[in-house]
């Protein structure tokens, strides 16, 4: 397997976990090169590990240009944790997003994978708990359908179920 990391910043500027991960990668024989738009067109698959759950503003500048060129390359994308540019809590696109054909999310399911643009940007979703012995949190999201709503809403004329025989109902 031939893997090359295309970096947007000089690896010497990395700190913390990113610096440690880069050092481990190089020690194992990995290579890094500067990202250029042609990089995406020359690969078979893009592994998206650009941004994560800490994204708190719209993506802009060189990072946005990188995401746009990766999306335009038409290569399959595997997103790690969540697609870059997708807000982990709301599913909003923060400026630009790199849609994935497959996403592997870690430790916990992020609400943004199921809300807003999340479902159309995530592709096939897989979960990896990374072996942590942490109790699974209770569900933060629930799906309302006609059967759940039927007992909570006034009777529908003609005995129909909401959302089945009538136009859908949206609640906010």
């Amino acid at each position: 397997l031939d893997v090359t990391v295309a970096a947007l910043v000089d690896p010497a500027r990395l700190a913390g976990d990113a610096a440690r991960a880069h050092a481990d990668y190089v020690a194992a024989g990995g290579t890094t090169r500067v990202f250029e738009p042609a990089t995406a067109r020359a690969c078979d698959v893009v592994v998206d590990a650009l941004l994560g759950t800490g994204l708190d503003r719209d993506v802009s500048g060189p990072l946005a240009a990188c995401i746009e060129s990766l999306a335009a390359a038409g290569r399959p994308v595997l997103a790690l944790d969540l697609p870059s540019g997708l807000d982990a809590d709301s599913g909003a696109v923060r400026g630009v997003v790199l849609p994935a054909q497959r996403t592997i999310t870690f430790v916990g399911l992020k609400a943004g994978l199921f809300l807003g643009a999340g479902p159309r940007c995530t592709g096939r979703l897989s979960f990896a708990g990374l072996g942590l012995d942490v109790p699974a949190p209770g569900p933060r999201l629930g799906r309302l359908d006609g059967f759940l709503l039927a007992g909570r809403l006034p009777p529908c004329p003609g005995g129909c179920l909401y959302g089945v025989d009538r136009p859908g109902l949206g609640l906010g």
Side-chain angles (χ1 to χ4, degrees), residues 9-132:
V9 298
D10 180 352
R13 293 179 47 205
L14 297 174
D17 289 341
R20 203 168 15 267
H22 181 262
D24 291 346
Y25 173 70
V26 170
T31 58
T32 304
R33 68 180 187 188
V34 175
F35 176 82
E36 298 171 355
T39 304
R41 292 187 300 274
C43 70
D44 295 320
V45 66
V46 172
V47 178
D48 172 13
L50 287 169
L51 300 171
T53 59
L55 182 62
D56 62 358
R57 63 188 175 281
D58 282 359
V59 179
S60 61
L63 187 53
C66 171
I67 290 173
E68 289 168 345
S69 68
L70 290 170
R75 299 295 189 255
V77 176
L78 168 65
L80 301 183
D81 215 15
L82 72 156
S84 288
L86 186 70
D87 186 285
D89 295 322
S90 70
V93 173
R94 300 301 305 257
V96 296
V97 68
L98 180 56
Q101 283 68 44
R102 176 116 194 211
T103 299
I104 301 172
T105 194
F106 305 108
V107 182
L109 294 171
K110 286 77 179 163
L113 297 169
F114 303 96
L115 299 173
R120 71 175 161 81
C121 295
T122 300
R124 184 172 173 207
L125 180 62
S126 299
F127 173 76
L130 302 181
L132 296 177

